[in-house]
């Protein structure tokens, strides 16, 4: 069995150690902590060469900002701003999907929907601009609420959100060079204020490059955080970065180019979200799903769901 020092080194922490100072949402015992101190083996992750799911030119693919898996199928948050925006529930097919749309609670064009998440039969859609917070929707679309952030410590929060299974709190970060994941209590199911829980914030310790253009992120069951790095720079690749949610340190990263069919010269494709979800399609199984949006200039946007296969899903 690893020593505590050896285990923390796997999670990126070396040097003097304090249980309270250096661990976020610390497990109740050293034994449980060591259970999370496994190598995520990011250098062995492989993006499957074909999309697990591709849909072109549908109402729900236009300005799709993120996708998540819930009880009744896939959920896609969109920003068409022409009467088609909102939250879509989809039953995937081979090339198309049966869908149901829930119109947004907030006025068209006043907010930006970000990459959503699911937690205990609710879908959380982050919102920015006129309102900062989340649009919380029951998975069967029978109830919803708008929860406005009580405090916003950074200017461009809520490009994404996810609930940390370690404590049940909802987290987000700012889009540009985030230094922290900010915690909120999103348990309310009626319109109101979403309290900050700043003592549960998670400090990020950057690797190279520092995270930027963060349009999506998600927690895993083994206390990791998967995060999109989507900077449009000739000198940088789009990346999926893997952090420890216990130490906040970068554990590894892989390139994932957002360059599928960039046929409109004035726009670039974007990595919009990342989710932990096992998908079997085209005879293969992948464990992490990344949404690439093909921003089309003369038709509705195209939707590519890229699957990443990992050597041992239990390590996620």
């Amino acid at each position: 069995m690893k020593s505590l020092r050896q285990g923390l080194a796997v999670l990126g922490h070396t040097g003097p150690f304090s249980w309270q100072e250096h661990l976020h949402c610390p497990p109740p015992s050293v034994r449980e902590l060591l259970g999370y101190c496994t190598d995520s083996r990011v250098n062995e992750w492989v993006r499957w060469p074909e999309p697990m799911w591709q849909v072109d030119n549908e109402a729900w693919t236009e300005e799709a900002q993120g996708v998540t898996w819930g009880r009744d199928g896939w959920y896609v948050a969109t920003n068409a701003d022409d009467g088609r925006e909102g939250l879509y529930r989809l039953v995937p097919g081979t090339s198309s999907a049966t869908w149901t749309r829930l119109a947004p609670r907030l006025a068209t064009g006043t907010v930006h929907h970000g990459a959503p998440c699911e937690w205990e039969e609710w879908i959380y859609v982050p919102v920015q601009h006129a309102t900062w917070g989340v649009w919380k929707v029951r998975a069967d679309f029978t109830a919803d609420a708008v929860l406005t952030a009580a405090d916003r410590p950074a200017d461009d929060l809520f490009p994404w959100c996810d609930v940390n299974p370690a404590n049940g709190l909802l987290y987000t970060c700012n889009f540009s060079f985030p230094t922290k994941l900010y915690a909120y209590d999103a348990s309310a199911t009626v319109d109101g204020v979403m309290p900050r829980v700043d003592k549960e914030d998670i400090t990020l310790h950057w690797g190279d490059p520092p995270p930027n253009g963060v349009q999506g992120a998600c927690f895993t069951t083994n206390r990791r955080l998967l995060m999109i790095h989507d900077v449009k720079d000739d000198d940088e690749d789009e990346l999926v970065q893997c952090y420890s949610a216990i130490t906040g340190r970068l554990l590894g990263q892989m390139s994932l180019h957002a360059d599928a069919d960039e046929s409109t010269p004035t726009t670039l494709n974007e990595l919009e979200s990342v989710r932990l979800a096992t998908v079997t399609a085209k005879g293969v199984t992948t464990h992490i799903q990344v949404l690439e949006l093909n921003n089309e200039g003369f038709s509705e946007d195209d939707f590519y769901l890229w699957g990443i296969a990992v050597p041992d899903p239990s390590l996620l």
Side-chain angles (χ1 to χ4, degrees):
M1 180 177 290
K2 299 184 186 75
S3 69
L4 179 58
R5 184 175 297 277
Q6 290 171 323
L8 290 173
V10 172
L11 300 186
H13 180 85
T14 57
F17 168 71
S18 162
W19 189 270
Q20 294 300 322
E21 182 181 352
H22 296 115
L23 301 186
H24 301 288
C25 304
S29 68
V30 172
R31 179 180 294 274
E32 184 173 338
L33 172 61
L34 289 176
Y36 298 124
C37 295
T38 53
D39 184 355
S40 50
R41 296 167 64 185
V42 179
N43 62 327
E44 298 177 49
W45 294 4
V46 177
R47 181 182 78 164
W48 202 251
E50 297 181 14
M52 303 300 285
W53 188 24
Q54 178 180 344
V55 183
D56 299 342
N57 303 325
E58 291 284 345
W60 61 269
T61 64
E62 178 66 13
E63 288 299 317
Q65 298 298 302
V67 60
T68 189
W69 173 258
R71 182 188 66 181
D72 298 321
W74 290 98
Y75 294 79
V76 179
T78 72
N79 277 324
D81 287 344
D82 60 5
R84 295 177 296 174
E85 65 284 340
L87 181 65
Y88 287 81
R89 184 175 67 231
L90 304 139
V91 179
T94 55
S95 60
S96 62
T98 301
W99 54 265
T100 304
R101 170 180 169 266
L102 184 65
R105 282 282 303 280
L106 300 164
T108 297
T110 65
V111 296
H112 178 279
H113 298 138
C117 71
E118 77 292 342
W119 179 253
E120 295 184 343
E121 300 190 0
W122 290 88
I123 309 300
Y124 296 81
V125 181
V127 292
Q128 300 173 302
H129 304 320
T131 298
W132 299 84
V134 296
W135 176 29
K136 181 176 180 178
V137 180
R138 189 175 288 280
D140 61 5
F141 286 4
T142 59
D144 68 334
V146 174
L147 305 181
T148 302
D151 176 43
R152 186 161 51 92
D155 288 338
D156 52 353
L157 290 185
F158 296 103
W160 64 274
C161 67
D162 196 23
V163 175
N164 185 350
N167 57 14
L169 296 174
L170 182 136
Y171 284 78
T172 188
C173 74
N174 48 302
F175 175 83
S176 303
F177 300 110
T179 58
K180 281 187 177 182
L181 306 180
Y182 298 102
Y184 291 84
D185 179 356
S187 58
T189 57
V190 296
D191 290 357
V193 173
M194 184 169 59
R196 277 271 290 125
V197 190
D198 57 326
K199 66 183 180 62
E200 298 292 346
D201 290 351
I202 299 174
T203 300
L204 295 177
H205 301 276
W206 295 344
D208 183 23
N212 194 9
V214 180
Q215 303 201 105
C218 70
F219 290 95
T220 76
T221 52
N222 284 330
R223 307 284 189 95
R224 315 218 193 278
L225 180 85
L226 307 180
M227 178 177 284
I228 294 296
H229 169 87
D230 188 55
V231 172
K232 300 305 179 189
D233 189 311
D234 291 340
D235 297 326
E236 291 190 35
D237 292 341
E238 295 97 342
L239 302 170
V240 177
Q241 297 184 317
C242 179
Y243 288 84
S244 168
I246 297 175
T247 64
R249 296 183 182 275
L250 183 67
L251 304 179
Q253 57 193 3
M254 66 172 290
S255 296
L256 203 165
H257 293 296
D259 59 1
D261 187 27
E262 286 187 328
S263 55
T264 303
T266 57
T267 61
L268 295 173
N269 291 3
E270 302 174 81
L271 300 185
E272 297 283 3
S273 67
V274 57
R275 299 303 301 169
L276 192 67
T278 299
V279 173
T280 299
K282 303 179 181 180
V284 300
T285 298
T286 57
H287 313 96
I288 299 167
Q289 311 303 320
V290 178
L291 169 59
E292 177 185 353
L293 184 69
N294 180 8
N295 290 294
E296 295 277 66
F298 307 105
S299 65
E300 283 72 19
D301 298 335
D302 300 338
F303 175 108
Y304 299 87
L305 193 69
W306 294 104
I308 298 172
V310 305
D312 184 353
S314 69
L315 298 179
L316 292 172

